[in-house]
Amino acid sequence: MPRGTFEEGSPAVFGARRHTAATHRIDGSAVTTSAEAVDAIAEALSFPDYFGHNLDALYDCLTDLAWLPAGEHLLFWQRASALRTGDRPAYEAIRTVLAEAVADDAPGEAFLSVLLLTD
């Protein structure tokens, strides 16, 4: 059972976790390509310099958050619909990587949760 959660929906699902997890925000209003999404995630979670800026490297970093403090880290992506509308296949690919990274439940003191806000 994964420690983190993956949710996609309206702002109402954000709920109580905003007070219990370290929140890393993305304003997705200008994120319309896969490369922009990968870069926004890397920036929000302060990925290390060795990050490879592709989907495989994204998955690897999301399942090993060793550079972050222990505990839950919530990737809170507002306006994810900009990518979904602009490039649906890119949105689905990024969404899949995020969901699989949460489900991986890799050992470590820091772990990922994701909330994609689709307005």
Side-chain angles (χ1 to χ4, degrees), residues 10 13 54:
S10 70
V13 301
N54 60 58

Side-chain angles (χ1 to χ4, degrees), residues 38-78:
V38 168
D39 288 346
I41 294 166
E43 183 177 332
L45 290 168
S46 303
F47 279 6
D49 292 337
Y50 59 79
F51 173 60
H53 296 274
N54 60 58
L55 294 180
D56 289 335
L58 177 63
Y59 179 84
D60 290 344
C61 280
L62 292 173
T63 57
D64 178 11
L65 300 173
W67 65 91
L68 293 175
E72 181 181 18
H73 291 269
L74 175 64
L75 182 64
F76 181 58
W77 187 342
Q78 298 171 286

Side-chain angles (χ1 to χ4, degrees), residues 10 12 15 40 47 57 79 87 90 93 103 110 114-115 117:
S10 70
F47 279 6
R79 297 173 194 87
D87 187 345
V114 175
L115 180 57
L117 291 184

Side-chain angles (χ1 to χ4, degrees), residues 3-119:
R3 293 179 289 170
T5 60
F6 177 88
E7 296 180 68
E8 182 178 30
S10 70
V13 301
F14 187 42
R17 259 187 323 288
R18 71 179 152 193
H19 299 295
T20 62
T23 302
H24 306 268
R25 295 179 183 274
I26 295 174
D27 176 357
S29 58
V31 176
T32 59
T33 68
S34 179
E36 291 170 350
V38 168
D39 288 346
I41 294 166
E43 183 177 332
L45 290 168
S46 303
F47 279 6
D49 292 337
Y50 59 79
F51 173 60
H53 296 274
N54 60 58
L55 294 180
D56 289 335
L58 177 63
Y59 179 84
D60 290 344
C61 280
L62 292 173
T63 57
D64 178 11
L65 300 173
W67 65 91
L68 293 175
E72 181 181 18
H73 291 269
L74 175 64
L75 182 64
F76 181 58
W77 187 342
Q78 298 171 286
R79 297 173 194 87
S81 56
L83 178 60
R84 187 180 62 203
T85 301
D87 187 345
R88 184 66 178 230
Y91 175 83
E92 293 300 331
I94 296 289
R95 182 190 180 285
T96 297
V97 169
L98 292 169
E100 289 178 356
V102 169
D104 182 84
D105 199 28
E109 294 183 19
F111 63 97
L112 181 67
S113 286
V114 175
L115 180 57
L116 296 178
L117 291 184
T118 53
D119 339 289

